[in-house]
Every structure is written in C-alpha cells, then in structure tokens.
Amino acid sequence: DLRKRIGRLLELTGAITARHPLAVAAYREKLRARIDCLLRDCGATAETGRVEHEIAQFADRSDIAEELIRLRSHCEQLGDLLSAEAGPTGRRIDFLLQEMVREVNTIGSKNSDLEITRPVIELKSEIERIREQAHNIL
C-alpha cells in the first residue's frame, strides 16, 4: 500500500510539473489582458518591456522546480527505506514525510493556479495517509 501511495505522489508531482509552465503562460495572458483593458480605459499605452519584466518576476517568484525535484527525491528515498533490510526505519520515514510536507506547502504557497492547487491538496492527503501507516512502523 505504501509503495502504491508513493507512486501516486510521483504521479501528482508529474502533473504539477506539466501544468506549471502553462500556469505561467496563463498568467502572462491574464496580465496582458488586464493591462490592455486598463490602458484602453485611460487612453494610454503599455511599455512592453515593463510588462515582460512583471511576467518574469512572477515566473521567478512562482518557480517550483527545486521543490518538485526535492519532492521526487524524497519519494525515492522513502521507497528505498521501505526496501531496506536494516533496523528500524520509522523515524527516518517520519522525517522524510515532514520534509515532503514542507515541499508541498511551498509549492502551494508559490502557486496561484487552480489546476496546481488540486494536486497539491491531494499530495497533502496522500502524505497524511502514509504518515498514519508509518506510525504503525514506528
């Protein structure tokens, strides 16, 4: 069951990875449309460089690549711990789960796209289910 849940975590992480560039592009279009509408009402024009700068800042602030890489790494480490024949691994599993929650929370806080929010919530739910089962290993 834990291995299946790890697979689900990796699946959700992949969905977020695929969606993130689309979220940045959607933000770009939304920002441009909003600026165009405001400028049309004022009769002014937008400085293209400034708009692109704002989009670049948004992309930088919302960059979740590092968190996704660490989350995948934690999933792999968790799988390795489950395969290990060495002594008690419960505490190490608990530590990894804490780290995974931190990564997921960071992804969620950097995100403004509903199509990323849904898998983030599901990731949290899956991690909590793993945590509940890990307490039986502790």
Side-chain angles (χ1 to χ4, degrees):
D1 185 61
L2 289 175
R3 289 186 196 291
K4 188 186 336 178
R5 293 193 186 283
I6 292 169
R8 182 67 180 143
L9 293 176
L10 290 169
E11 181 182 311
L12 291 165
T13 301
I16 292 170
T17 301
R19 175 64 188 171
H20 183 65
L22 300 173
V24 172
Y27 176 79
R28 174 185 291 123
E29 293 308 313
K30 184 177 174 181
L31 181 62
R32 281 199 177 134
R34 188 180 310 161
I35 289 171
D36 288 345
C37 181
L38 290 171
L39 294 175
R40 195 173 32 252
D41 291 345
C42 298
T45 59
E47 185 180 320
T48 304
R50 179 70 180 154
V51 173
E52 291 302 319
H53 176 73
E54 290 295 324
I55 293 167
Q57 281 187 325
F58 171 79
D60 188 49
R61 281 191 313 269
S62 67
D63 184 24
I64 55 175
E66 290 180 26
E67 288 82 5
L68 291 168
I69 289 168
R70 284 192 297 267
L71 185 56
R72 274 191 215 96
S73 173
H74 295 329
C75 287
E76 290 171 12
Q77 290 175 40
L78 184 56
D80 292 346
L81 281 174
L82 294 176
S83 299
E85 293 181 19
T89 58
R91 288 188 181 179
R92 290 171 49 191
I93 289 172
D94 193 49
F95 175 75
L96 270 175
L97 293 173
Q98 287 175 17
E99 291 301 308
M100 292 167 86
V101 167
R102 284 188 190 111
E103 300 302 341
V104 172
N105 283 337
T106 302
I107 291 167
S109 69
K110 288 183 171 184
N111 167 59
S112 63
D113 183 68
L114 185 60
E115 296 304 315
I116 292 177
T117 299
R118 287 181 181 138
V120 162
I121 292 169
E122 197 169 338
L123 279 166
K124 288 180 181 184
S125 179
E126 284 297 322
I127 292 169
E128 187 55 36
R129 288 182 191 121
I130 293 170
R131 183 186 308 279
E132 288 171 5
Q133 288 195 4
H135 285 289
N136 294 328
I137 298 171
L138 296 173

